[in-house]
Amino acid sequence: MTELTDVPASARERRRATGLDGAEGNELLTIGAATVLTILLLAEGVTILNMRGLLGAHMFIGLMLIPPVLLKLGSTGYRFARYYTGSAVYRAKGPPELPLRVLAPILVATTVMVFATGVWLLLLGHHSDQVLMLHKVAFIIWGGLFGVHFLAYAPRVGRSLIDRTGTGTRAGGRFRGALIVSAIAAGLALGLSLLSLIGGWHGRHEFRFRDAAVTVPSLRVSRGGSAENYATPRSRG
């Protein structure tokens, strides 16, 4: 009786591994979210090279990053919870390497700190040396940890994608795709909804990306300004 009852249970576990909430599906969702984050982070990195001219784009992309970051934290957190609550399919995949497990809590904490201080600065509506210093310190620590994390997982992600090409349930694939698209859409909506705050932070009545030329049409343009004036808003007497 034990063997007969164990076989269906094992089969269900294997089906769940490639479905909506199994270990394989969870890994593919994490990879999808990480891919979106990598693209957006590369764009964010470009803005850092010219903060005076691209500070508005830096803020906008930073807001776009928030939902995909939450999605990835959710997928990895779910795997963590399932592994340590004894799920067979998650236990079978095993934990990450010990150094990565040690670094993970610090990476999560600095990720939260980077975005929290960035949003804090945006909501303040003006430059703050203290908050900006926290933002920079968190970013420096996060950058080093993220570099280690990325280099450690990149080969594994590549192998995983190759091994799973053409596999997985259609329902699971549609569900994961919907989650990823929803995260991108939510990030875009968040950024667009806060354009007025970004423009106000610059102390301007119009906000433009240098390359994308995104404007707030309902607001008027101040004449005689330059992109350099956007970086450090000052009170005018």
Side-chain angles (χ1 to χ4, degrees):
M1 288 295 296
T2 302
E3 292 181 358
L4 292 176
T5 55
D6 285 348
V7 170
S10 299
R12 284 196 298 271
E13 286 291 315
R14 285 195 298 270
R15 285 195 296 271
R16 291 182 67 195
T18 56
L20 300 179
D21 60 344
E24 300 297 332
N26 176 267
E27 184 174 8
L28 288 172
L29 177 61
T30 302
I31 291 172
T35 302
V36 172
L37 287 175
T38 300
I39 295 171
L40 290 174
L41 286 171
L42 287 173
E44 189 78 325
V46 172
T47 67
I48 294 174
L49 300 177
N50 181 15
M51 287 296 290
R52 284 185 175 272
L54 297 174
L55 183 57
H58 180 81
M59 290 180 171
F60 187 86
I61 296 171
L63 291 170
M64 279 195 66
L65 278 161
I66 293 176
V69 165
L70 292 176
L71 179 61
K72 187 173 185 297
L73 290 177
S75 67
T76 54
Y78 181 81
R79 176 188 173 184
F80 174 88
R82 292 300 304 275
Y83 178 85
Y84 285 104
T85 54
S87 171
V89 291
Y90 284 87
R91 301 285 293 187
K93 290 190 70 65
E97 298 294 332
L98 181 59
L100 296 175
R101 278 184 283 167
V102 172
L103 291 178
I106 309 174
L107 179 60
V108 171
T110 53
T111 299
V112 172
M113 180 64 73
V114 167
F115 286 98
T117 53
V119 172
W120 188 0
L121 278 169
L122 179 61
L123 295 178
L124 280 175
H126 59 79
H127 179 89
S128 169
D129 289 336
Q130 293 79 10
V131 181
L132 182 59
M133 180 58 66
L134 288 174
H135 187 66
K136 288 181 176 179
V137 170
F139 176 79
I140 291 170
I141 299 173
W142 172 86
L145 295 175
F146 177 78
V148 173
H149 178 86
F150 181 85
L151 292 175
Y153 278 102
R156 178 178 174 178
V157 168
R159 290 193 299 269
S160 179
L161 290 175
I162 293 172
D163 292 342
R164 289 167 178 77
T165 300
T167 64
T169 62
R170 292 183 178 180
R174 287 195 296 268
F175 182 76
R176 290 188 297 271
L179 286 176
I180 293 169
V181 171
S182 297
I184 297 171
L188 183 60
L190 179 62
L192 291 174
S193 68
L194 295 178
L195 276 179
S196 59
L197 280 181
I198 296 174
W201 202 95
H202 292 313
R204 303 290 297 200
H205 296 293
E206 182 187 60
F207 168 64
R208 288 182 180 271
F209 292 125
R210 172 171 292 182
D211 297 323
V214 176
T215 63
V216 183
S218 61
L219 300 176
R220 293 180 298 177
V221 180
S222 295
R223 296 182 179 178
S226 63
E228 286 72 21
N229 293 330
Y230 293 0
T232 55
R234 301 173 183 173
S235 60
R236 300 182 182 181

